[in-house]
């Protein structure tokens, strides 16, 4: 059974988790299919506007297709093929078809029936997972499923639900039926869901988009609200509703389809009272209050642009919150991230950490105090609260005091190269380095002087207030000498350690950058520069290029990520630029 579940979960993750992308500069137009999505769906993922998926697949590097992970999974499962039952083999066959479909856009179209007008929805009806897609060739999708079933030897039959034709694939284990995988086709829309011992016939009708739920997602305005509130482009959206999830676990609404299905699952498992500890009025209120402060995790695209040779997209994920006390405390941690860390095209790798060190201890204390002093009546929360009171974070103030007025750190490598050591064949050394590391502070001089007290060897270094650099090559270990000068300099409110022309340019630019709270974390990576460097290093060392290299980075792409906090919650924005054949 464990192998069946592994195959099921992996297949579902591959099918649904791959690509949250959308087209650029298209306003949201309500999709009529959302009339069939229940308003109380715990999760929702969608491609609401047509996506030129086949064109996108042609541009996508192997690293983004998860091909390596899929192939590893296939090898592991095939090694145990003799031990797998028919149902597990069925899902394994589908995973194998998925791997084949990634070989080209033609293969993907032939196997799954997708075209360049793809729309997709994944959501829940109670606890029933539902996946729906608008395809160019629905027969291809049906054929792939039935051939996988025939190959595995599992039974399937043509049937109907309320007059709508469906195909039911019987999933069993050790001779006992577990559930039916149900496939229906209505026009160009394909629907895949399950008919289980814990759902009702009415639930199945809603899941198959035969009947509409009493309250639909379209009627709530939730999609439009999320798009507007978080400045998304309206073409792709997903969310996890924490409030509905908590309410289902605590049975706040015993008549909801999610709660009823959960009750049925508990009864079928022989543990009908497993959640009694949180299914009482006190816990329903306390957990609901907490969930209302952190109601959802939302993700969607802000922009997408695709052509025959490249794809550019920006995806935003928001942990939404209305807890302004906690958000203010976290926002107080925001520090300074330099300009050279805020784009993906500034070098090979760049990282910035904005951190107001003086606020680290107060922030932790605020979060700790908020939980430890909260008025709970729910017993599990009271127990957790009692344990939290045993750990007082006051000592953190002593540990962070030495950081003084620090507001952030960063490093960037703008250019780098390697060569074989002349006197040591097979050994590799740096032949070129252009890089910059910075520390930003309200009082950079005081911070530098404090740091020197911990490293006596640097006591003789004094940084001129006018920004004149001091060469520090003599302080480098013998094995890490550089051909070019390595400089320390005080640039306004920033301490800079740098070498190379590009690094010097960005170091000088720091002098005009005032230290202010402008972010928390930035990270950029250009694998188009990184991959050739690793290949060169492997060749010089007489080693084969690691297979994992191309599995991880493909042919090369640029990526930039920003993590920050604001009055709406915690946000992560990711920009990616992919160029075909780069």
């Amino acid at each position: 059974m464990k192998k069946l579940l592994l195959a099921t979960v992996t297949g579902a993750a591959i099918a649904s988790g791959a690509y949250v992308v959308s087209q650029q500069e298209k306003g949201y137009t309500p999709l009529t299919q959302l009339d069939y999505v229940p308003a109380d769906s715990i999760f929702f993922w969608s491609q609401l506007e047509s996506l030129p998926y086949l064109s996108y697949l042609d541009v996508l590097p192997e690293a983004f297709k998860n091909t390596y992970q899929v192939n590893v999974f296939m090898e592991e499962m095939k090694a145990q093929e003799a031990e797998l039952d028919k149902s597990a083999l069925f899902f394994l066959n589908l995973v194998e078809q998925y791997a084949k479909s990634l070989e080209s856009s033609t293969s993907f179209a032939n196997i799954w029936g997708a075209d360049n007008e793809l729309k997709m929805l994944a959501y829940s009806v109670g606890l029933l997972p539902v996946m729906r897609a608008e395809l160019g060739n629905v027969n291809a999708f049906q054929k792939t499923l039935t051939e996988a079933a025939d190959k595995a030897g599992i039974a399937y039959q043509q049937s109907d639900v309320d007059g709508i034709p469906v195909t039911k694939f019987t999933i069993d284990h050790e001779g006992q039926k577990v559930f039916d995988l149900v496939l229906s086709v209505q026009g160009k829309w394909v629907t895949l869901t399950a008919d289980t011992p814990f759902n009702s016939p009415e639930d199945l009708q809603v899941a198959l988009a035969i009947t509409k739920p009493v309250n639909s997602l379209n009627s709530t305005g939730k999609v439009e609200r999320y798009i507007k509130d978080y400045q998304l482009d309206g073409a792709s959206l997903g969310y996890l509703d924490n409030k509905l999830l908590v309410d289902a676990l605590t049975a706040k609404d015993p008549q909801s389809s999610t709660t009823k299905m959960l009750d049925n699952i508990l009864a079928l498992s022989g543990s009908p009272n497993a959640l009694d500890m949180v299914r009482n009025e006190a816990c329903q209120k306390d957990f609901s209050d907490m969930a209302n402060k952190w109601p959802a995790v939302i993700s969607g695209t802000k922009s997408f642009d695709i052509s025959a040779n490249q794809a550019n997209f920006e995806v935003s994920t928001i942990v939404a919150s209305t807890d302004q006390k906690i958000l203010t405390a976290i926002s107080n941690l925001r520090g300074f991230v330099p300009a050279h860390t805020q784009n993906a095209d500034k070098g090979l790798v760049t990282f910035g950490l904005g951190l107001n060190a003086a606020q680290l201890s107060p922030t932790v204390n605020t979060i700790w105090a908020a939980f430890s002093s909260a008025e709970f009546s729910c017993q599990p929360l009271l127990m957790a609260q009692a344990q939290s009171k045993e750990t007082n974070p006051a000592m953190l103030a002593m540990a962070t005091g030495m950081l003084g007025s620090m507001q952030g750190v960063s490093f960037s490598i703008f250019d780098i190269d390697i060569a074989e050591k002349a006197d040591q064949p097979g050994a590799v050394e740096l032949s070129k380095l252009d890089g910059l590391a910075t520390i930003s502070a309200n009082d950079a001089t005081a911070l530098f002087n404090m740091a020197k007290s911990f490293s006596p060897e640097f006591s003789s270094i004094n940084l001129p207030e006018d920004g004149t650099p001091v060469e520090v090559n003599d302080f480098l270990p013998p094995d890490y000498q550089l051909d070019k000068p390595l400089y320390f300099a005080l640039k306004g409110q920033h301490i800079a350690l740098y070498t190379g022309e590009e690094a010097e340019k960005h170091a000088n630019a720091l002098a005009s950058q005032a230290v202010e709270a402008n972010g928390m974390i930035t990270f950029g990576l250009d694998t188009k520069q990184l991959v050739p460097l690793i290949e060169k290093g492997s060749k010089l060392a007489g080693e084969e290029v690691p297979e994992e290299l191309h599995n991880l980075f493909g042919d090369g792409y640029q990526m930039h990520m920003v993590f920050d906090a604001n009055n709406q919650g915690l946000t992560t924005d990711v920009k990616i630029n992919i160029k075909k054949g780069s």
Side-chain angles (χ1 to χ4, degrees), residues 59-355:
V59 177
L60 201 67
E62 294 299 316
F64 279 33
K65 298 177 183 178
N66 296 319
T67 309
Y68 175 72
Q69 290 86 345
V70 175
N71 289 336
V72 168
F73 171 77
M74 289 293 302
E75 291 174 5
E76 292 176 351
M77 296 301 291
K78 281 187 173 294
Q80 306 174 55
E81 190 168 353
E83 304 174 23
L84 300 179
D85 60 23
K86 293 179 180 180
S87 296
L89 285 173
F90 170 58
F91 288 108
L92 185 62
N93 292 339
L94 291 177
V95 175
E96 185 175 22
Q97 288 302 305
Y98 176 77
K100 290 180 179 178
S101 72
L102 295 179
E103 294 175 358
S104 68
S105 58
T106 300
S107 296
F108 198 91
N110 290 339
I111 291 173
W112 303 114
D115 59 11
N116 273 326
E117 297 294 324
L118 180 67
K119 293 190 181 109
M120 289 188 69
L121 301 172
Y123 54 93
S124 62
V125 173
L127 293 178
L128 285 183
V130 179
M131 187 180 76
R132 307 191 66 213
E134 185 179 41
L135 303 176
N137 184 355
V138 296
N139 292 330
F141 190 91
Q142 290 176 297
K143 181 181 178 183
T144 296
L145 262 66
T146 54
E147 287 184 347
D150 289 336
K151 186 177 178 182
I154 74 165
Y156 61 92
Q157 59 180 349
Q158 304 299 324
S159 182
D160 75 273
V161 175
D162 198 27
I164 299 298
V166 299
T167 305
K168 291 187 174 183
F169 300 84
T170 302
I171 308 301
D172 58 25
H173 178 66
E174 296 181 350
Q176 292 188 338
K177 179 178 175 180
V178 181
F179 63 90
D180 282 329
L181 185 68
V182 185
L183 170 68
S184 76
V185 176
Q186 298 179 57
K188 287 189 173 184
W189 281 90
V190 168
T191 304
L192 198 61
T193 188
D195 189 12
T196 71
F198 57 79
N199 65 270
S200 68
E202 292 76 20
D203 294 325
L204 181 62
Q205 291 175 14
V206 174
L208 290 171
I210 296 171
T211 60
K212 295 180 180 180
V214 175
N215 296 306
S216 73
L217 183 59
N218 250 352
S219 69
T220 65
K222 181 185 286 188
V223 171
E224 294 92 333
R225 185 169 68 253
Y226 283 163
I227 290 170
K228 179 182 178 181
D229 288 351
Y230 304 112
Q231 296 82 52
L232 305 175
D233 68 0
S236 179
L237 176 73
Y239 63 78
L240 172 67
D241 194 310
N242 298 328
K243 294 191 295 183
L244 291 171
L245 178 60
V246 165
D247 287 349
L249 291 173
T250 61
K252 187 174 182 179
D253 178 7
Q255 299 307 312
S256 77
S257 58
T258 305
T259 301
K260 288 181 177 179
M261 289 189 200
L262 182 56
D263 289 344
N264 291 338
I265 291 174
L266 293 175
L268 290 168
S269 68
S271 304
N273 303 317
L275 295 175
D276 282 0
M277 183 175 285
V278 296
R279 287 190 162 186
N280 53 68
E281 187 175 348
C283 289
Q284 288 167 352
K285 180 183 183 304
D286 287 348
F287 276 104
S288 182
D289 288 346
M290 294 172 64
N292 283 334
K293 292 181 179 180
W294 298 86
V297 180
I298 302 106
S299 184
T301 44
K302 286 191 169 183
S303 65
F304 187 88
D305 178 43
I306 189 169
S307 67
N309 298 311
Q310 70 174 20
N312 302 295
F313 57 90
E314 181 178 3
V315 178
S316 184
T317 300
I318 306 98
V319 181
S321 178
T322 61
D323 193 335
Q324 293 305 315
K325 184 175 182 179
I326 297 299
L327 288 178
T328 298
I330 295 174
S331 296
N332 286 340
L333 283 176
R334 298 176 80 243
F336 176 80
V337 287
H340 65 266
T341 69
Q342 298 186 30
N343 290 287
D345 57 356
K346 295 297 184 182
L348 186 145
V349 61
T350 184
F351 171 80
L353 171 64
L355 176 63

Side-chain angles (χ1 to χ4, degrees), residues 546-562:
E547 182 181 0
E548 293 80 8
L549 177 67
H550 288 288
N551 294 329
L552 181 62
F553 297 127
D555 295 323
Y557 56 88
Q558 289 181 326
M559 182 271 289
H560 191 261
M561 185 222 34
V562 176

Side-chain angles (χ1 to χ4, degrees), residues 325-326 328-330 332-333 356-370 393-394 396-397 400-401:
K325 184 175 182 179
I326 297 299
T328 298
I330 295 174
N332 286 340
L333 283 176
N356 185 344
Q359 288 294 321
L360 186 57
S361 180
T363 295
V364 173
N365 275 292
T366 298
I367 296 173
W368 173 81
L396 183 64
T400 57

